[in-house]
Amino acid sequence: MTWLHLSLHEKGRYFVNEYHRIREHTTALCTNLKAEDYTVQPSCDVSPPKWHLGHTTWFFEELILVKNLPGYVRFDEQYRYLFNSYYKSAGEHWLQSHRGDLSRPAVDEIKRYRGYVDKHIQILLSQDLVNESLYSLLEIGLHHEQQHQELLMMDIKYIFGCNPLALTYSNSHFECAQVGESQWCSFTEGIYEIGAGGEGFAYDNEKPRHKSYSYPFIIADNTVTNGEYLSFIEAGGYDRAEFWLSLGWDWLKHNGIKSPLYWREIEGQWYEFTLYGLMKLDLNAPVTHVSYFEADAYANWAGMRLPTEQELEIYMQVDSANLNKNIVKTEAIGQLIFHPNNSKARFGQIWCWSKSHYSGYPGYKPYQGMLTEYNGKFMCNQFVLKGGCVATPTGHYRHSYRNFYQPHQRWMFSGIRLAKDIE
């Protein structure tokens, strides 16, 4: 049952509760930050935490309040420009690569902005102005905020990881649990249903649900571990061009890449920077923060391949109760703690690279209006990742979820699951 089946009064109460729960969790993720942490932008891919706080608020202001609450006055007219991410239909916007140049507005001012918009969303929801389409738009806004909660964790980790000081975001073990020895799941040739169906929320790029033909394949029950990836490094994997795509080899040599993003070799011992500090490399944990280039090279070295996004979704659909059975997340003010209760959690720990290029499904229809720019405009030169990760907020995970990144990017919680054709 979704909110669509609730009465008008119940819908209003549901969205009020969901709005405040999700918005409060965003600010809770920043509880452990110092004022100086909010503005840092060490890479053009990374956005300062305070920009996330502002942009997610801009989304509700521009798409909902300005258009639907009579007499609404923007908190600050300049924020239309500063916190617009990439929506050309909403006007000019500040460049992503220069978000860290802005010392103002200060963090306290952005928090006041959030409070102002939250207050007016509450006013809107208390009036008889909300219809089904507006509730649907509000739902997209809430999922958009949850997307930025994951981005916040990625960006905070990168910001802290670039600092030579031994910084710690949390004392709790936030990141991935150990995984067991891989078993292999086999799938027969046939036609499978792929994509989002039913009444639950899904983005436009997850639709429509459609039939996909698959040849027989096997897929690993667990993701590649740090120990397995270390064997690739020790076998000279980063020095052997035969395993790498041409663009990947150029990227590796140009940037001097020799290991996953947060690995550090100190006096012959490998360490990994985590959100709870620099730790000795856990050989049994999933390898994380690898690019598509690295994932593909490892698969070639191992005599396997990366799965297609269809194969990943087919695999995850086999036991859809497995995620809830094996992974429990506890959200609390100021922390997001990962509690694996089964060391053989099959998915939900890291996003797994697929070999599939990101494009629209057969019959894909983008959102209308300003939101037509939400997903479709990025369907070029990117690969799909599936499976969720430890930073994916509770309730935001779906088997049909299509994450997407460029092949060189690796600051997200990305990892490797292997597959192979059955001959």
Side-chain angles (χ1 to χ4, degrees):
M1 179 173 171
T2 70
W3 61 267
L4 291 169
H5 301 286
L6 299 176
S7 68
L8 189 62
H9 175 71
E10 289 172 330
K11 286 174 185 176
R13 185 170 58 188
Y14 169 81
F15 276 101
V16 166
N17 292 338
E18 280 296 282
Y19 181 86
H20 288 294
R21 179 183 71 82
I22 291 171
R23 293 280 285 173
E24 287 169 3
H25 185 60
T26 304
T27 54
L29 290 174
C30 298
T31 300
N32 296 337
L33 301 182
K34 303 295 185 184
E36 292 78 6
D37 298 326
Y38 281 90
T39 307
V40 179
Q41 186 181 25
S43 163
C44 62
D45 289 329
V46 171
S47 294
K50 74 173 186 178
W51 186 87
H52 288 288
L53 296 179
H55 168 69
T56 51
T57 305
W58 169 93
F59 193 96
F60 288 109
E61 182 172 61
E62 291 301 317
L63 273 78
I64 295 180
L65 292 176
V66 169
K67 301 178 185 298
N68 295 284
L69 184 61
Y72 178 76
V73 177
R74 290 183 177 90
F75 180 82
D76 189 316
E77 286 288 337
Q78 298 177 95
Y79 289 6
R80 297 176 62 185
Y81 172 66
L82 289 183
F83 294 123
N84 178 3
S85 53
Y86 50 73
Y87 293 91
K88 308 303 180 186
S89 58
E92 295 295 321
H93 58 84
W94 186 254
L95 291 177
Q96 177 180 351
S97 58
H98 289 277
R99 290 169 184 168
D101 296 349
L102 302 171
S103 61
R104 303 293 177 90
V107 176
D108 287 346
E109 188 71 5
I110 293 175
K111 289 180 178 178
R112 285 194 290 273
Y113 177 38
R114 288 180 69 84
Y116 179 85
V117 167
D118 290 349
K119 171 186 170 183
H120 285 84
I121 288 288
Q122 179 84 40
I123 293 172
L124 176 64
L125 291 175
S126 69
Q127 300 181 9
D128 296 329
L129 301 170
V130 188
N131 53 31
E132 296 290 310
S133 62
L134 188 53
Y135 278 131
S136 295
L137 186 57
L138 184 61
E139 185 177 41
I140 294 172
L142 293 175
H143 281 268
H144 170 262
E145 179 112 6
Q146 289 181 304
Q147 281 185 305
H148 278 269
Q149 290 169 358
E150 183 169 318
L151 286 165
L152 259 174
M153 300 314 301
M154 292 161 46
D155 291 356
I156 289 170
K157 184 173 183 179
Y158 194 89
I159 290 166
F160 279 24
C162 289
N163 195 310
L165 301 178
L167 300 182
T168 299
Y169 168 78
S170 172
N171 292 325
S172 301
H173 281 207
F174 169 84
E175 299 187 52
C176 298
Q178 293 186 345
V179 296
E181 183 179 350
S182 272
Q183 305 296 317
W184 294 88
C185 298
S186 62
F187 293 85
T188 59
E189 181 177 5
I191 298 174
Y192 294 86
E193 294 261 327
I194 299 297
E199 295 182 336
F201 177 82
Y203 288 115
D204 58 355
N205 65 356
E206 300 172 56
K207 302 175 182 178
R209 189 163 178 81
H210 60 283
K211 292 178 174 61
S212 177
Y213 187 86
S214 177
Y215 288 95
F217 68 96
I218 60 173
I219 189 167
D221 201 33
N222 282 311
T223 56
V224 172
T225 66
N226 285 330
E228 291 168 328
Y229 198 86
L230 182 58
S231 296
F232 169 64
I233 294 175
E234 292 174 339
Y238 280 83
D239 300 310
R240 299 175 61 180
E242 66 265 30
F243 299 133
W244 295 79
L245 292 166
S246 179
L247 283 177
W249 185 253
D250 292 344
W251 165 80
L252 178 152
K253 290 302 179 183
H254 178 75
N255 294 285
I257 305 297
K258 297 184 180 297
S259 65
L261 178 59
Y262 293 113
W263 286 27
R264 310 281 187 268
E265 188 176 19
I266 304 172
E267 297 180 352
Q269 176 67 58
W270 283 101
Y271 294 81
E272 182 176 17
F273 177 77
T274 72
L275 285 165
Y276 46 94
L278 188 66
M279 310 291 289
K280 186 176 179 180
L281 186 68
D282 183 348
L283 299 181
N284 295 312
V287 65
T288 313
H289 299 291
V290 290
S291 66
Y292 177 86
F293 294 138
E294 291 166 296
D296 181 70
Y298 177 88
N300 290 332
W301 172 78
M304 308 292 284
R305 64 168 172 82
L306 297 179
T308 65
E309 70 163 311
Q310 290 81 9
E311 289 169 342
L312 281 168
E313 189 165 335
I314 291 166
Y315 162 73
M316 290 186 292
Q317 287 176 355
V318 167
D319 182 4
S320 59
N322 189 78
L323 182 74
N324 293 328
K325 181 174 65 181
N326 288 342
I327 296 180
V328 177
K329 291 182 185 178
T330 300
E331 295 183 14
I333 299 300
Q335 59 186 348
L336 177 60
I337 307 171
F338 177 62
H339 290 294
N341 56 24
N342 185 326
S343 64
K344 294 187 177 181
R346 289 162 59 180
F347 40 84
Q349 294 211 75
I350 54 173
W351 291 102
C352 292
W353 283 106
S354 79
K355 62 183 295 184
S356 300
H357 293 267
Y358 178 51
S359 61
Y361 284 152
Y364 164 68
K365 294 181 180 179
Y367 292 131
Q368 297 302 299
M370 199 169 90
L371 287 179
T372 194
E373 301 183 58
Y374 200 100
N375 283 309
K377 68 190 293 182
F378 300 110
M379 292 179 176
C380 179
N381 297 332
Q382 312 217 45
F383 286 86
V384 176
L385 299 92
K386 295 185 75 71
C389 74
V390 294
T392 305
T394 301
H396 192 62
Y397 175 87
R398 296 177 298 282
H399 295 327
S400 60
Y401 203 122
R402 307 175 76 200
N403 212 340
F404 51 91
Y405 284 97
Q406 295 173 0
H408 69 280
Q409 293 176 316
R410 56 185 192 154
W411 93 106
M412 59 286 191
F413 293 88
S414 53
I416 309 169
R417 189 184 299 280
L418 297 176
K420 191 174 184 177
D421 297 319
I422 298 177
E423 299 178 356

